[in-house]
Amino acid sequence: MEKYLLFLLLMLMGENGLCQQEKGCSKSMVNSCGDCMRSAPECVWCKQLNFTKAGEQEAVRCDTKAQLMKRGCKREEIISPENTLAIVKADPLSVSFDKQLKQPVQLSPQKIRLRLRPGLPRTFRVSFKRVQGYPVDLYYLMDLSYSMKDDLANVKELGNDLFAALKSITNSAQIGFGAFVDKTVLPYTNTNKEKLLKPCDENYQECQAAFGYRHVLSMTSEEEQFKTKVTEEFISGNLDSPEGSLDAMMQAAVCGERIGWRNSSTRLIVLTTDAGFHMAGDGKLAGILEPNDELCHIDNSLYTKSNVMDYPSVGQLAIQLEKNNIQPIFAVTENVEDVYKQLTELIPKSEVGVLSSNSNNVVQLIKDAYKRLSSKVTVTHDNLPEHVSVVYTPNCEGAGPAGESEGICDNVPVGKEIYFDVTVTADTCIEDKSFTIRPLGIKDTLTVTLSSNCECDCDDPPDSRHPHCNGTGRVSCGICSCNEGSIGQFCECSIGKKDELTLRASCQRNNGTECEGRGDCVCGRCQCHTTESGSSYYGDFCECDDEHCEKFQNKLCGGNGKCNCGRCDCFSGFEGSACQCKVSEEGCRTLNNTVCYNRGTCKCNRCECKEGYQQPRCHKCLGCPDPCLTKLNCIECLGFESGPFRKNCSVACRKSIFHEMVDQFTVRSKKCHQKDTEGCWIRFDLDQLFGEDHYKANILKQRDCPKPPSVIAIIGGSIASVALIGILMLMLVKLLIYMKDIKEFRKFENEKKKSKWAEADNPLFQTATTTVSNPTFTGE
């Protein structure tokens, strides 16, 4: 907010106000007057001919007004586009509501057009006045769960009181009525067929079937009609404590034609309940996964998608209430007051009132809530384009703080005109973008159409062969725009047979920017500009200057050298990228009087070690290979004249290792224990001297060589092993044959037992029988 107030203050200081701040303009990418206008709001352009010197960049034409006049630009030659505001429509504010008028006016103006320069704010004033007797539409939305049965009985008697209360506010009032419970699915409602038809206590006779939301009565000014419809309503019921109030409010907000909202009215929804509410995501408990689509789904007065779509989120409901200019009043019992107070923080222009145990104070509660809502005027915006900011500064007795999202005036009486100063700033160039400013809960709007003032009207002469441009170009805001075939600052160069692209390419280094952006390409060669301090860029491509070297202690090259084309050339006795160090090796000296152990270089009195060696003096190499392994072959040939280097040991090893044969180790250095090519264990220690490959080695004279194996024992053992294995194989084969024979014998025995022999006598072995007749027994 402070930056906008600063801009306003500077504008009031006069045309030189910005210049008195001595702000500089960024010239890095300025090539025209339009670029200058887009660079910074305080920048202006000098269109005066011959303002720039030969070889000087045209970007110097872009600066603050004070700086340009100081350089010799005349006031009348300075181009400085300003913001403009045109009021397209500004109907006067209405004094009171007149039924003859279709739309009373509470906000003025209604349409304006702004032409803004990027970064330069423009403030305008918006007036608002509450109209006396402005129409009111009140939709009474009641919770009909079983716990609200006493409240319903009282509401049936409140019709006259409600209309009387509204008539004390306006002569044009309408009331509608709706009811809600919850979704008729488990776990919210008992889905037993009998319970769906009568969800109340069995002893309670007057009970209607379970439902989600029902629109009972559209907006009417007839008291008897309201009383009749409410009297026909009975209590219902559900299982859990939270209700489907957000479902009901969403349908009441989006079903404008069914509800009967008027275009020119204060729209109120009075929600009465003694319980909390379900919100988006709770529908998953019943397997309802489809998100709320924020559309109207009322058929035969019932919400038909109650069991199909999830509850709306608080954000979805807030958007639709604000979009349809509806202000909710939550008339709730004390046990859920805190819940709905938190809800009002998320829904603009909403109020909470505490119901008595039987809702007999609901009329007074609505009157008090309406008074608070209508006396608080909140102005905000919709559809704000990108890179555009708006700040509201209220101008009233109950003004809230200035803000970027809204402006608030509280305790505004009817008929009192108040003002809001609206400051709009566009950060970039835009073209015909619009947004609306409106008071919350009221239909009146102000449409702001934005466009940018990014180009310069320099009133240039139409002559295409202007003398200033050597007769081969025209003047555009003081700069020559050359005709085809000519180039140069003043079109002084004729390109001849070469095309312009070829000439310009010769001024580019590695296909980069032409003359590095520090000069002009004239006839294929760079003419370098001067720097801000007055010196010149130089080089074939103007790539060099002597002002942009590294600094030390805020001094160029530390004050100990000279800047030469971006690099410091240090004076004698100094070194470093910024000549920040005295030449010295004191911090790099080692105990053996070497510099960094000859494993690095001393720069700025500090060792820069070779790869692997560690600072501060490059003593140890944590990343190097183990020397016990790398030097083993040299140790073997030097100490025992064996190994792969035994034939050229002096050449391969004597320069890198100084060795000594010892009986035992005395110096505590790196101990090595390795096996040589003959299978013997060698013990030695290594001490790295200065340099990368320079060691001192103490080699133990005695090697540990294992005894050779016994050949006779190996041969005898091998023969015995083969014989033993053969015997075992024969025994195994014999065992298998024996096992097979046993199996066959047992099988024979079993079959023998199963055989049956005939018991008849063999006639071959029977005794002969003789038959003799006894004469005694004959018949004769």
Side-chain angles (χ1 to χ4, degrees):
M1 180 58 195
E2 290 79 1
K3 66 177 182 180
Y4 298 106
L5 293 177
L6 177 61
F7 277 126
L8 290 174
L9 178 62
L10 294 175
M11 290 172 66
L12 294 173
M13 290 168 60
E15 62 181 354
N16 290 325
L18 285 171
C19 300
Q20 293 175 9
Q21 300 299 312
E22 294 298 331
K23 294 182 179 178
C25 296
S26 174
K27 309 181 188 68
S28 58
M29 296 299 292
V30 173
N31 296 310
S32 66
C33 183
D35 292 340
C36 182
M37 297 305 105
R38 290 184 284 270
S39 62
E42 64 268 19
C43 292
V44 295
W45 180 265
C46 179
K47 68 171 186 176
Q48 182 174 306
L49 299 181
N50 296 316
F51 177 73
T52 54
K53 301 174 184 178
E56 189 175 27
Q57 54 186 335
E58 296 291 352
V60 298
R61 294 178 177 272
C62 181
D63 213 326
T64 61
K65 185 178 293 186
Q67 290 296 325
L68 290 179
M69 294 178 67
K70 184 178 178 180
R71 289 175 60 92
C73 186
K74 298 178 182 179
R75 182 185 296 271
E76 61 270 17
E77 298 289 340
I78 292 177
I79 303 297
S80 179
E82 302 293 338
N83 294 335
T84 60
L85 182 147
I87 298 177
V88 180
K89 183 180 180 182
D91 294 338
L93 299 175
S94 302
V95 177
S96 61
F97 176 70
D98 187 351
K99 292 185 178 180
Q100 301 299 325
L101 297 174
K102 292 184 179 180
Q103 176 71 39
V105 178
Q106 299 184 97
L107 185 73
S108 185
Q110 292 80 43
K111 289 183 180 180
I112 65 172
R113 179 176 289 275
L114 281 176
R115 189 168 175 82
L116 300 179
R117 181 175 169 184
L120 190 63
R122 176 59 193 259
T123 300
F124 57 89
R125 176 161 287 187
V126 177
S127 304
F128 176 85
K129 182 166 64 174
R130 290 177 58 196
V131 172
Q132 182 74 37
Y134 195 72
V136 175
D137 288 344
L138 186 149
Y139 191 69
Y140 199 97
L141 192 55
M142 188 170 184
D143 177 5
L144 288 188
S145 59
Y146 186 73
S147 59
M148 293 287 287
K149 62 180 180 179
D150 295 337
D151 303 81
L152 178 61
N154 285 327
V155 171
K156 291 180 179 181
E157 305 298 328
L158 290 179
N160 294 335
D161 294 337
L162 278 173
F163 274 98
L166 292 178
K167 285 181 179 180
S168 66
I169 299 170
T170 177
N171 292 326
S172 180
Q174 291 189 151
I175 296 182
F177 188 82
F180 67 91
V181 183
D182 208 346
K183 297 182 184 295
T184 56
V185 291
L186 284 173
Y188 318 117
T189 303
N190 192 332
T191 55
N192 182 281
K193 186 176 181 180
E194 295 180 358
K195 280 294 184 180
L196 284 174
L197 295 175
K198 187 181 179 182
C200 309
D201 188 356
E202 293 181 0
N203 297 326
Y204 191 78
Q205 299 301 320
E206 297 178 332
C207 181
Q208 62 175 313
F211 66 95
Y213 161 69
R214 175 182 289 114
H215 170 57
V216 179
L217 176 65
S218 298
M219 292 294 173
T220 179
S221 57
E222 300 296 330
E223 299 180 25
E224 288 301 321
Q225 187 180 6
F226 176 81
K227 184 176 181 180
T228 301
K229 285 291 185 180
V230 175
T231 304
E232 294 174 356
E233 290 300 309
F234 296 103
I235 212 73
S236 185
N238 63 327
L239 292 176
D240 62 343
S241 176
E243 314 295 1
S245 49
L246 297 195
D247 261 346
M249 291 183 70
M250 176 62 78
Q251 292 302 300
V254 298
C255 298
E257 294 183 0
R258 298 294 186 92
I259 304 301
W261 299 114
R262 290 177 291 183
N263 288 333
S264 302
S265 66
T266 298
R267 301 176 178 182
L268 302 175
I269 290 180
V270 178
L271 180 83
T272 58
T273 183
D274 63 348
F277 51 86
H278 285 295
M279 67 180 83
D282 289 353
K284 293 180 180 179
L285 295 173
I288 301 174
L289 304 178
E290 184 177 346
N292 195 285
D293 62 4
E294 304 178 40
L295 298 177
C296 180
H297 298 287
I298 294 180
D299 189 15
N300 292 327
S301 299
L302 281 175
Y303 175 34
T304 57
K305 296 289 187 178
S306 177
N307 297 342
V308 177
M309 288 192 300
D310 196 5
Y311 302 95
S313 68
V314 174
Q316 287 178 305
L317 180 61
I319 290 172
Q320 290 302 326
L321 291 174
E322 185 176 346
K323 180 180 178 181
N324 292 282
N325 299 313
I326 297 173
Q327 306 174 59
I329 299 173
F330 300 106
V332 298
T333 52
E334 189 175 5
N335 62 306
V336 291
E337 179 186 6
D338 291 340
V339 174
Y340 283 89
K341 279 188 175 179
Q342 294 177 28
L343 181 60
T344 58
E345 295 178 1
L346 303 175
I347 299 179
K349 293 285 284 185
S350 59
E351 285 289 333
V352 175
V354 179
L355 282 173
S356 59
S357 59
N358 57 4
S359 298
N360 59 6
N361 69 331
V362 68
V363 175
Q364 186 60 42
L365 186 152
I366 293 173
K367 289 177 65 176
D368 294 341
Y370 173 77
K371 183 178 179 181
R372 291 192 298 270
L373 285 172
S374 60
S375 64
K376 183 178 181 180
V377 181
T378 303
V379 175
T380 186
H381 52 258
D382 293 322
N383 304 318
L384 189 69
E386 291 184 6
H387 308 295
V388 177
S389 59
V390 179
V391 176
Y392 299 93
T393 305
N395 191 346
C396 53
E397 294 181 0
E404 296 185 3
S405 59
E406 61 185 16
I408 300 174
C409 281
D410 211 348
N411 299 320
V412 179
V414 176
K416 175 72 173 179
E417 187 172 352
I418 59 174
Y419 308 97
F420 294 88
D421 290 325
V422 183
T423 303
V424 181
T425 307
D427 296 330
T428 61
C429 294
I430 57 177
E431 196 65 35
D432 290 333
K433 299 288 185 180
S434 297
F435 68 97
T436 57
I437 295 175
R438 63 184 180 86
L440 290 180
I442 297 174
K443 192 173 181 61
D444 298 64
T445 60
L446 163 60
T447 301
V448 181
T449 303
L450 288 174
S451 60
S452 297
N453 201 354
C454 292
E455 300 301 328
C456 301
D457 184 10
C458 297
D459 193 22
D460 296 316
D463 188 3
S464 61
R465 297 183 177 276
H466 199 279
H468 179 69
C469 303
N470 288 301
T472 57
R474 60 184 180 84
V475 174
S476 176
C477 289
I479 302 176
C480 283
S481 178
C482 302
N483 298 333
E484 186 176 357
S486 298
I487 58 173
Q489 185 176 6
F490 303 105
C491 306
E492 70 276 14
C493 180
S494 177
I495 61 177
K497 295 182 180 180
K498 293 185 178 180
D499 61 276
E500 185 177 357
L501 291 177
T502 302
L503 287 174
R504 292 191 177 277
S506 62
C507 295
Q508 299 174 4
R509 182 174 61 168
N510 300 326
N511 295 324
T513 306
E514 187 176 293
C515 297
E516 297 294 321
R518 299 171 171 180
D520 299 316
C521 186
V522 179
C523 296
R525 294 182 63 85
C526 287
Q527 287 187 358
C528 300
H529 297 152
T530 57
T531 64
E532 295 180 0
S533 65
S535 61
S536 297
Y537 296 105
Y538 60 93
D540 291 339
F541 303 98
C542 304
E543 72 275 13
C544 293
D545 71 89
D546 297 337
E547 297 178 359
H548 292 86
C549 288
E550 188 176 343
K551 292 185 178 181
F552 178 70
Q553 294 181 346
N554 205 29
K555 293 180 181 180
L556 199 65
C557 297
N560 304 315
K562 183 179 180 181
C563 183
N564 184 13
C565 195
R567 295 178 61 87
C568 288
D569 290 339
C570 300
F571 299 148
S572 177
F574 293 92
E575 64 179 344
S577 59
C579 304
Q580 71 273 27
C581 309
K582 289 185 177 180
V583 176
S584 174
E585 295 181 346
E586 183 178 351
C588 302
R589 287 287 173 184
T590 63
L591 296 177
N592 58 2
N593 201 29
T594 62
V595 175
C596 305
Y597 284 100
N598 289 354
R599 298 167 197 155
T601 57
C602 188
K603 292 184 179 180
C604 284
N605 207 23
R606 179 184 176 131
C607 288
E608 289 187 2
C609 302
K610 294 182 180 179
E611 185 177 1
Y613 290 95
Q614 304 298 306
Q615 291 181 340
R617 291 180 175 82
C618 313
H619 186 207
K620 294 183 178 180
C621 183
L622 300 181
C624 296
D626 187 1
C628 291
L629 295 175
T630 59
K631 299 301 178 184
L632 176 61
N633 291 333
C634 283
I635 294 296
E636 185 177 358
C637 78
L638 290 172
F640 305 100
E641 297 181 354
S642 61
F645 292 163
R646 66 181 182 274
K647 293 183 178 180
N648 60 342
C649 188
S650 59
V651 177
C653 302
R654 291 192 183 278
K655 292 183 179 180
S656 62
I657 298 180
F658 168 72
H659 78 286
E660 183 178 353
M661 304 298 295
V662 297
D663 295 321
Q664 60 182 5
F665 295 125
T666 56
V667 181
R668 306 184 75 183
S669 57
K670 181 174 179 63
K671 301 296 189 297
C672 302
H673 186 207
Q674 300 292 328
K675 182 180 287 188
D676 62 11
T677 55
E678 296 178 356
C680 297
W681 289 96
I682 303 174
R683 296 179 182 271
F684 57 97
D685 62 19
L686 286 173
D687 184 19
Q688 189 173 12
L689 306 177
F690 62 89
E692 293 184 71
D693 192 23
H694 193 193
Y695 292 88
K696 178 182 178 182
N698 291 320
I699 307 173
L700 203 62
K701 294 179 179 179
Q702 187 66 37
R703 289 189 296 178
D704 294 334
C705 296
K707 294 181 179 180
S710 175
V711 176
I712 296 175
I714 291 174
I715 295 175
S718 299
I719 295 173
S721 298
V722 170
L724 180 60
I725 291 172
I727 294 171
L728 291 175
M729 291 294 294
L730 290 173
M731 292 178 66
L732 180 60
V733 172
K734 185 66 176 177
L735 178 62
L736 292 174
I737 294 173
Y738 175 75
M739 294 296 294
K740 183 177 181 182
D741 291 344
I742 291 294
K743 184 177 180 180
E744 291 294 330
F745 177 76
R746 288 178 178 174
K747 182 178 179 181
F748 171 76
E749 289 290 331
N750 290 333
E751 290 178 353
K752 181 180 178 182
K753 290 179 181 180
K754 293 178 182 178
S755 63
K756 294 183 179 181
W757 305 94
E759 295 181 357
D761 295 333
N762 190 334
L764 296 177
F765 297 97
Q766 286 185 351
T767 307
T769 304
T770 304
T771 303
V772 179
S773 298
N774 192 340
T776 305
F777 296 99
T778 60
E780 297 180 358

